[in-house]
């Protein structure tokens, strides 16, 4: 939009602040460090009708609006009602000039506790517009100015909860869900530096900022956010939604199984598996039917589990038998815990491979084991031993 600088100055003084005339007998405007004569801007309008905004005029206009917005505390502060009205009038002017949607900065009423915070960002937008008018006859809605205003909005969003819609609790939940990694590329978004913790992330709302549902809100690193913030292709959106679905699936599993405690004896089994020697292993001499009947058409998972069962089933059975004899049938309690683990996630959506992976990860974390393979073997044993998965 091409509007004369002189018209913008007139709107900011006569129309918004009601300075219908600049009578020198009227009181001065109180601003930081000194008073501002009401004649100053009328003098600029008269002496420089083409380019009224020089450095001094911009500086004084900024000081004037900082005080009228209540950002600068005057000796006798302007009323909150007037600050709200002035801020919204300026916001309307800024939207008209820049063609940007700035409605989220609108001051609701005099009782809105976030008003002053919003006015700080309205003032920042006004300042960038005024700087773009320095020694100019017309306002130019440039890409540089647009980017500066969008950055102001980004900063406002972060000040009230990332992207303007999330509370601190929601931000924390999304960070936990994504395990502190960018959903798109896997980069760590929280890093420890020598002096501080760096939070290097933003949130992308796939279907608009007004929708903060879990499947719409995506944690991204700064680089991925910069690539996607101006638009997401359908293919990219579907990929991100699929990743979010998997994260939600994993998160529900973690919530379900978090309270299940592992029997300490299972740790002994895992340690025994890690140190097992070939001559201790007596393979099964029959096809593990339970595995085939339970896993069905998931061929890759079935082959992995059958391989573990054939090689280790007898070995683990003997270990459990020894534990049961020594510790008052503790082997039964171990089987119950594994069964409880499975039942806690059996009704959750997802494939058998997904559930198998969750159980293996749970066992690995609970036992503090460094061997995923040993944990896979234990879960495979209980698939064959009827504690995990139902027959199809």
């Amino acid at each position: 939009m091409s509007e004369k600088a002189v018209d913008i100055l007139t709107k900011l003084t006569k129309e918004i602040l009601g300075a219908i005339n600049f009578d020198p007998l009227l009181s001065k405007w109180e601003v930081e460090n000194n008073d501002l004569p009401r004649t100053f801007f009328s003098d600029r309008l008269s002496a420089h009708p083409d380019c009224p905004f020089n450095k001094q005029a911009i500086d004084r206009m900024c000081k004037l609006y900082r005080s009228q917005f209540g950002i600068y505390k005057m000796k006798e502060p302007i009323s909150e009602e007037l600050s709200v009205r002035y801020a919204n009038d300026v916001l309307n002017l800024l939207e008209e000039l820049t063609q940007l949607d700035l409605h989220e900065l609108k001051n609701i009423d005099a009782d809105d506790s976030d008003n002053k915070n919003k006015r700080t960002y309205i003032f920042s937008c006004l300042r960038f517009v005024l700087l773009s008018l320095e020694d100019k006859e017309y306002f130019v809605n440039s890409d540089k100015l647009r980017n500066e205003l969008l950055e102001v909005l980004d900063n406002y969003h972060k000040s009230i909860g990332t992207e303007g819609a999330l509370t601190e609790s929601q931000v924390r939940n999304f960070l936990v869900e994504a395990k502190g990694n960018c959903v798109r590329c896997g980069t760590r978004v929280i890093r420890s530096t020598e002096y501080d913790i760096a939070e290097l992330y933003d949130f992308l709302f796939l279907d608009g900022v007004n929708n903060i549902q879990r499947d719409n809100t995506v944690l991204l690193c700064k680089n991925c956010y910069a690539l996607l913030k101006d638009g997401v292709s359908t293919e990219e959106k579907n990929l991100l939604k699929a990743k979010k679905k998997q994260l939600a699936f994993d998160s529900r599993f973690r919530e379900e199984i978090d309270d299940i405690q592992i029997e300490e004896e299972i740790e002994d089994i895992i340690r025994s598996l890690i140190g097992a020697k070939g001559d201790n292993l007596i393979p099964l001499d029959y096809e593990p039917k339970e595995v085939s009947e339970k896993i069905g058409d998931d061929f890759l998972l079935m082959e992995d589990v059958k391989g573990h069962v054939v090689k280790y089933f007898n070995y683990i059975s003997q270990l459990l038998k020894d534990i049961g004899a020594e510790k008052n049938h503790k082997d039964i309690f171990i089987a119950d815990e594994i069964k409880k683990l499975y039942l806690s996630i059996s009704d959750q959506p997802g494939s058998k491979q997904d559930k198998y992976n969750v159980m293996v990860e749970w066992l690995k974390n609970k036992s503090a084991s460094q061997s995923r393979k040993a944990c896979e073997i234990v879960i495979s044993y209980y698939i064959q031993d009827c504690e995990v998965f139902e027959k199809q």
Side-chain angles (χ1 to χ4, degrees):
M1 178 178 181
S2 295
E3 183 160 352
K4 283 190 172 184
V6 66
D7 293 334
I8 294 173
L9 178 57
T10 300
K11 288 179 180 179
L12 287 170
T13 52
K14 291 184 179 180
E15 294 184 17
I16 293 178
L17 298 181
I20 304 304
N21 59 57
F22 293 96
D23 188 336
L25 297 178
L26 293 175
S27 61
K28 297 178 181 181
W29 279 306
E30 183 183 340
V31 298
E32 296 101 319
N33 303 321
N34 60 350
D35 291 334
L36 174 61
R38 287 176 179 254
T39 56
F40 175 80
F41 293 112
S42 61
D43 290 343
R44 292 297 305 174
L45 287 168
S46 300
H48 305 278
D50 291 334
C51 304
F53 287 104
N54 63 355
K55 280 186 171 61
Q56 185 184 39
I58 292 170
D59 177 66
R60 291 196 167 190
M61 185 66 77
C62 286
K63 288 182 176 181
L64 174 60
Y65 268 97
R66 275 177 58 86
S67 65
Q68 301 308 301
F69 283 0
I71 299 170
Y72 164 61
K73 288 291 185 183
M74 297 184 287
K75 296 169 189 171
E76 296 182 3
I78 189 170
S79 72
E80 182 70 11
E81 289 80 3
L82 277 177
S83 288
V84 166
R85 193 184 82 195
Y86 292 157
N88 288 337
D89 287 345
V90 169
L91 192 66
N92 291 337
L93 174 61
L94 293 173
E95 287 189 318
E96 179 185 341
L97 289 171
T98 65
Q99 300 299 296
L100 285 175
D101 183 358
L102 305 173
H103 74 278
E104 60 196 296
L105 297 178
K106 184 178 178 65
N107 280 213
I108 305 302
D109 55 49
D111 296 324
D112 184 355
S113 60
D114 195 35
N115 279 340
K116 191 168 182 181
N117 182 46
K118 291 177 180 177
R119 291 199 292 269
T120 300
Y121 292 96
I122 295 173
F123 170 77
S124 294
C125 291
L126 174 62
R127 178 175 171 275
F128 280 120
V129 168
L130 293 175
L131 288 172
S132 75
L133 286 165
E134 184 179 348
D135 298 328
K136 300 286 196 313
E137 184 176 357
Y138 289 93
F139 168 77
V140 176
N141 195 11
S142 65
D143 288 341
K144 178 177 180 293
L145 176 61
R146 178 183 176 83
N147 290 335
E148 288 169 339
L149 299 184
L150 288 175
E151 185 174 353
V152 172
L153 280 179
D154 283 343
N155 290 334
Y156 169 69
H157 293 155
K158 288 175 182 145
S159 78
I160 63 169
T162 304
E163 286 299 338
L166 301 179
T167 64
E168 286 187 17
S169 176
Q170 288 171 325
V171 169
R172 184 170 60 253
N173 288 340
F174 284 120
L175 284 166
V176 170
E177 177 191 66
K179 300 178 184 177
N181 299 323
C182 172
V183 172
R184 183 172 183 264
C185 72
T187 300
R188 292 293 297 171
V189 297
I190 299 180
R191 303 175 192 168
S192 297
T193 65
E194 185 177 355
Y195 303 104
D196 203 354
I197 301 294
E199 298 183 352
L200 308 170
Y201 60 83
D202 274 298
F203 286 93
L204 182 72
F205 297 92
L206 296 176
D207 295 319
V209 71
N210 292 325
N211 179 1
I212 59 171
Q213 298 302 312
R214 173 179 274 185
D215 59 351
N216 184 56
T217 308
V218 183
L219 175 73
L220 296 176
C221 65
K222 291 289 187 181
N223 288 338
C224 287
Y225 180 77
L227 290 172
L228 301 180
K229 67 179 181 179
D230 294 326
V232 185
S233 68
T234 300
E235 181 181 3
E236 183 83 55
K237 184 180 291 188
N238 289 338
L239 178 62
L240 290 173
K241 285 189 173 183
K243 289 185 175 182
K244 282 289 296 182
K245 185 176 180 180
Q246 184 63 48
L247 285 174
F249 172 78
D250 293 343
S251 180
R252 283 195 297 271
F253 275 167
R254 289 198 301 271
E255 291 168 3
E256 289 286 344
I257 66 180
D258 189 54
D259 291 334
I260 297 174
Q261 300 300 314
I262 190 173
E263 297 288 338
E264 63 182 23
E265 287 77 16
I266 205 77
E267 300 180 26
D268 296 334
I269 293 175
I270 292 172
R271 283 192 289 271
S272 297
L273 285 170
I274 294 171
K277 297 181 180 179
D279 53 4
N280 292 331
L281 303 178
I282 304 173
L284 281 178
D285 57 3
Y286 63 88
E287 176 76 5
K289 295 285 186 185
E290 291 291 342
V291 173
S292 301
E293 293 174 358
K294 290 181 174 183
I295 297 179
D297 57 1
D298 194 332
F299 177 77
L300 293 178
L301 176 60
M302 183 168 61
E303 288 302 299
D304 283 344
V305 172
K306 284 169 66 175
H308 296 326
V309 169
V310 167
K311 190 171 183 180
Y312 291 99
F313 188 86
N314 286 332
Y315 181 72
I316 295 177
S317 293
Q318 187 59 52
L319 286 172
L320 286 168
K321 189 179 296 184
D322 293 343
I323 289 171
E326 294 172 9
K327 299 190 177 182
N328 195 23
H329 306 293
K330 203 63 174 286
D331 56 320
I332 298 175
F333 293 110
I334 293 174
D336 285 344
E337 289 298 294
I338 298 297
K339 185 70 172 180
K340 188 192 299 183
L341 166 64
Y342 171 66
L343 290 176
S344 71
I345 63 174
S346 60
D347 292 334
Q348 297 286 355
S351 67
K352 283 186 167 63
Q353 179 71 65
D354 291 329
K355 294 174 183 179
Y356 175 78
N357 289 339
V358 168
M359 288 187 286
V360 169
E361 283 300 314
W362 172 86
L363 186 57
K364 186 172 182 291
N365 291 333
K366 287 288 187 178
S367 64
S369 172
Q370 299 300 309
S371 174
R372 178 182 172 85
K373 179 65 72 177
C375 296
E376 290 176 352
I377 292 167
V378 171
I379 297 300
S380 296
Y381 170 87
Y382 283 106
I383 292 174
Q384 172 65 18
D385 203 43
C386 301
E387 308 304 333
V388 175
F389 296 147
E390 298 87 2
K391 292 182 181 179
Q392 293 187 328

